[in-house]
Amino acid sequence: MRSKKRITHLDVAKLAGVSTAAVSYVINNGPRPTSPEMRERVMRAIRELDYHPSVLARGLRVQQTNIIGFIAYDYLSTKVFTSFYNATILTSLTMRLKSLSHYVLVYPMDIGQDLGDLEILLRSGLLDGVVVRLVEDSPATDALLEMITATCVPCVCIEQPGAPRFGFSAVSYDDQGGAFEATSYLIAQGHRRIGYICGDMRYLTARTRLAGYQRALVHHGVAYDEKLVCGNSWLPSAARACVAQMMELDSPPTAIFAASDSLVFSVIEELRRQGRRVPEDVAVVGFDDIELATESIPPLTTVHIPLVEIGQRAVDLLIDLIQTEDHISAARLEVLPVEFVQRGTA
Amino acid sequence: MRSKKRITHLDVAKLAGVSTAAVSYVINNGPRPTSPEMRERVMRAIRELDYHPSVLARGLRVQQTNIIGFIAYDYLSTKVFTSFYNATILTSLTMRLKSLSHYVLVYPMDIGQDLGDLEILLRSGLLDGVVVRLVEDSPATDALLEMITATCVPCVCIEQPGAPRFGFSAVSYDDQGGAFEATSYLIAQGHRRIGYICGDMRYLTARTRLAGYQRALVHHGVAYDEKLVCGNSWLPSAARACVAQMMELDSPPTAIFAASDSLVFSVIEELRRQGRRVPEDVAVVGFDDIELATESIPPLTTVHIPLVEIGQRAVDLLIDLIQTEDHISAARLEVLPVEFVQRGTA
DNA sequence: GTGAAAGCGCTAACAA
DNA sequence: TTGTTAGCGCTTTCAC
């Protein structure tokens, strides 16, 4: 890198006794054919010198770096990667991109934060494209999307599609369908008093799941009781408080549907503290299917989100977008199905 | 990026009626002084054209990209970012580097995996430096460090220092001291039968904490009983099994020290399942001080690891290393203190 | 089939 | 004080 003089393709060319162009053709398998014999000479020289091309020089020349940005746009950027969603998606993106010889540059950002720094990055030419995880649809998010549009950097949204007018491709999952199915399951089990623990309602996902819950009630003719809907946070304390409150109702719930698995753990904890058994006294269903869901006793009945597949699809769409030169390929909105997983808590 | 022609410093120079060099001097505040008047003209042209420099071109020229790699070298790279440690460190690194106008490129890697791809990256000139999180000290890790050394890319290790012969700077924390203190605390509370739930013993940290536990016993003259040491996994099921087993001993533990907070949750769960109260019947202490530690009831007594500070220090050391041109500045081994936090479980 | 050379956008040494 | 220009290392058009 430093100190040592860098080996360039010129060194390789000299040693192999060919032109620099030839070296390039060999390395890239084109765009011009090369004789096997020259090929061999070049390869040997490369090995001998331990030559490694400079991405910078190549990038400058071809205007492409094979680096993709992951923009995690969330309320608390300091917690961004400790969140199950972002961590799982980041992992999935990284793996998929690695298999395509691409790298991932992470860029956490607070919702509402100044967009200037990100714009500098996007306009710097460092990134071939970005995937941005969206969690809501406020004006701040619109502003972000607006800015990205202006930079002309290929972009795919994840989890929440941006406003349609931006025309970005997006891959999300069937949040409402999952909530509908989970609730329907509980109804089918004979439950008529079903509590719903909302997550932080600033998140679109929390609202969509609530909508699915409500739609299921209506669909099956079960009365909606707002006393059975509670919470506005992803924190354990909030879930416990909600449970405590609900169970004091004259007609307490016989089942509880929580907007996330981590919420469910607290729900169960509080239920047990009150001496109630899960699922015998109160059935519980979660959402997410986090890793620990199968580890708990009993294992969680929940809704599986295909986060890994989401990351993979996002990568595929993005790479596609980048390759179709006039990247005006129609925006694709993919909504992956979720899967209700019946395990031990309901 | 594409489609639109890129605005270059030449455009700016023309519009401002100055030389391209002048543009560079203004943008970089040097290395030559510029008259305020010209400065103003250039700045205006930049704004007018909405000019953004190309990192690629700049990088090629100055051999510096302001991109740092984060190599997460662990057993299961597919789980890498869902781990509390990596996620927290990544966040900390990213934030610190952002404040220094640097970017982070993530590179998860399985222990023992082929090093070829990483070498290509390191030799590509894309990265100014790397911080690598180490969790053990096997030959595989040595091989990794060997390779990094050969590439001459500035490197700082995190959590575990590499073998001294590589001479890398490292920032870790006082694992053994923390375990010693936690155990000593329990002894001071009058406990003489203290169980220890090991994590996955392939991790150096699991072994070091065990050593701290043992040292504390010896130091305070408490008998060591190997029947009180159990486990070889970070999974909840393992912790529960250990607790179940220990509590059946003729002389069961009155306190349990677990190698991680997540383990503690399972310990408590199992204890409660057996109808025992925490901390009245059995005191419990964890390690890590994860976010949920304060959210549980009762809140966890645990050992706080300054992961955020570790990330920051690593960044500072690395940036320092990069800037001291002849980066042969002596390796610095920093061991940050941990903090025993007495809360509700012991 | 192969080589020479232009140029990607920038910085900094050299001139003036 | 400011302008000119030679590269950084690579790809690819153009000429042979």
Side-chain angles (χ1 to χ4, degrees), chain B residues 9 25 32 51 53-54 61:
Chain B
H9 67 164
Y25 298 143
R32 244 165 38 183
Y51 165 71
S54 152
R61 181 61 233 240

Side-chain angles (χ1 to χ4, degrees), chain B residues 14-32:
Chain B
K14 273 186 195 146
L15 180 60
V18 300
S19 76
T20 58
V23 176
S24 173
Y25 298 143
V26 168
I27 291 178
N28 303 319
N29 280 319
R32 244 165 38 183

Side-chain angles (χ1 to χ4, degrees), chain A residues 9 21 25 32 51 53-54 61:
Chain A
H9 66 164
Y25 298 144
R32 244 161 44 179
Y51 165 70
S54 153
R61 181 62 233 240

Side-chain angles (χ1 to χ4, degrees), chain A residues 65-316:
Chain A
T65 60
N66 289 1
I67 305 177
I68 298 299
F70 174 47
I71 303 175
Y73 194 56
D74 210 328
Y75 288 105
L76 257 187
S77 67
T78 54
K79 296 278 167 63
V80 145
F81 298 117
T82 48
S83 119
F84 165 69
Y85 283 81
N86 277 319
T88 310
I89 288 172
L90 175 56
T91 304
S92 165
L93 287 176
T94 309
M95 292 306 164
R96 185 62 149 218
L97 284 167
K98 198 174 189 177
S99 74
L100 298 171
S101 303
H102 281 243
Y103 300 117
V104 178
L105 189 143
V106 293
Y107 200 92
M109 201 161 108
D110 282 310
I111 291 179
Q113 179 189 336
D114 179 73
L115 300 171
D117 287 338
L118 177 55
E119 181 167 11
I120 289 175
L121 170 59
L122 293 183
R123 292 208 189 262
S124 76
L126 218 207
L127 270 23
D128 287 350
V130 294
V131 358
V132 31
R133 172 167 111 109
L134 262 24
V135 299
E136 43 84 287
D137 58 355
S138 72
T141 292
D142 284 356
L144 170 71
L145 264 19
E146 192 91 64
M147 188 273 276
I148 295 177
T149 305
T151 63
C152 295
V153 174
C155 169
V156 167
C157 298
I158 251 184
E159 241 191 273
Q160 302 298 341
R165 65 185 160 104
F166 295 112
F168 286 129
S169 286
V171 18
S172 61
Y173 56 91
D174 187 11
D175 231 346
Q176 192 177 128
F180 180 88
E181 203 177 335
T183 310
S184 298
Y185 170 82
L186 290 173
I187 294 171
Q189 297 295 301
H191 296 287
R192 289 298 173 270
R193 299 287 293 166
I194 303 173
Y196 178 76
I197 313 277
C198 312
D200 187 330
M201 295 293 272
R202 292 177 305 176
Y203 289 77
L204 212 40
T205 203
R207 308 207 290 271
T208 309
R209 289 171 196 181
L210 174 57
Y213 160 83
Q214 291 171 323
R215 189 161 63 81
L217 294 185
V218 170
H219 183 83
H220 297 97
V222 175
Y224 172 73
D225 181 351
E226 64 177 15
K227 289 205 193 66
L228 290 178
V229 173
C230 171
N232 190 11
S233 155
W234 302 114
L235 289 179
S237 46
R240 281 189 300 249
C242 286
V243 171
Q245 189 179 313
M246 281 183 191
M247 298 313 290
E248 289 201 339
L249 256 30
D250 290 337
S251 170
T254 60
I256 293 179
F257 175 33
S260 86
D261 284 352
S262 60
L263 248 21
V264 162
F265 288 128
S266 307
V267 168
I268 294 177
E269 196 181 351
E270 176 63 21
L271 252 15
R272 288 196 176 140
R273 205 189 56 77
Q274 298 186 0
R276 305 177 202 267
R277 295 161 306 162
V278 173
E280 294 82 355
D281 300 329
V282 182
V284 178
V285 175
F287 210 117
D288 287 349
D289 196 20
I290 64 178
E291 204 184 341
L292 290 178
T294 54
E295 277 284 333
S296 84
I297 297 182
L300 264 40
T301 295
T302 187
V303 178
H304 177 77
I305 304 177
L307 286 177
V308 172
E309 290 76 9
I310 288 175
Q312 293 175 347
R313 279 306 293 156
V315 166
D316 295 347

Side-chain angles (χ1 to χ4, degrees), chain A residues 25-41:
Chain A
Y25 298 144
V26 168
I27 291 178
N28 303 318
N29 279 319
R32 244 161 44 179
T34 47
S35 67
E37 161 212 23
M38 183 181 85
R39 214 184 151 59
E40 184 44 44
R41 282 226 305 286

